């Protein structure tokens, strides 16, 4: 588990978290050290997927019948990537407070 508050501990690569969240729902949160949050997303994905199967018309496509689950899946991917990017940005700022080690091109004294 990484700690974003400790500048010596490098957080997980945001792209690795994004890839794992895309491949297996909830795994991006597990990589970030937030397994309970990943489990919550999985729970609501299953519940809303089930609800939309009961509410959707019979002639709806597979995506349409499970739209609630796919919505939560997409939100889970975005959430895991956002957390990873924020942790990485905090780590980069704390490890290079003067801005010399970052590639943003922005100066710290602006």
């Amino acid at each position: 588990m990484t700690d974003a508050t400790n500048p010596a501990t490098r957080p997980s690569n945001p792209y690795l978290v994004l890839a794992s969240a895309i491949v297996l729902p909830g795994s991006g949160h597990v990589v970030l050290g937030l397994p309970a949050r990943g489990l919550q997303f999985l729970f609501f994905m299953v519940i809303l997927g089930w609800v939309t199967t009961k509410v959707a018309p019979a002639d709806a496509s597979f995506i349409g019948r499970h739209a609630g689950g796919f919505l939560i899946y997409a939100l889970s991917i975005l959430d895991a990537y956002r957390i990873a990017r924020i942790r990485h940005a905090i780590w980069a700022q704390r490890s290079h407070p003067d801005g010399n080690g970052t590639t943003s091109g922005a100066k710290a004294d602006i």
Side-chain angles (χ1 to χ4, degrees):
M1 179 170 20
T2 60
D3 183 15
T5 59
N6 186 357
T9 305
R10 184 178 178 93
S12 300
N13 185 346
Y15 296 119
L16 174 69
V17 172
L18 177 65
S20 67
I22 290 171
V23 171
L24 187 64
S27 65
H29 291 97
V30 173
V31 170
L32 290 170
L34 302 168
R37 189 175 182 104
L39 190 61
Q40 288 171 350
F41 271 107
L42 278 174
F43 174 75
F44 284 108
M45 188 182 319
V46 169
I47 294 298
L48 285 179
W50 179 78
V51 166
T52 53
T53 58
K54 301 301 178 191
V55 175
D59 61 340
S61 67
F62 178 80
I63 301 284
R65 284 192 311 266
H66 299 89
F70 285 113
L71 172 70
I72 301 300
Y73 174 55
L75 292 175
S76 170
I77 293 169
L78 293 173
D79 184 65
Y81 182 66
R82 179 187 59 89
I83 292 170
R85 289 292 293 185
I86 289 171
R87 286 184 178 182
H88 190 271
I90 290 171
W91 173 80
Q93 180 63 31
R94 290 196 176 151
S95 63
H96 306 290
D98 57 354
N100 291 335
T102 61
T103 59
S104 67
K107 293 184 180 179
D109 60 347
I110 292 179

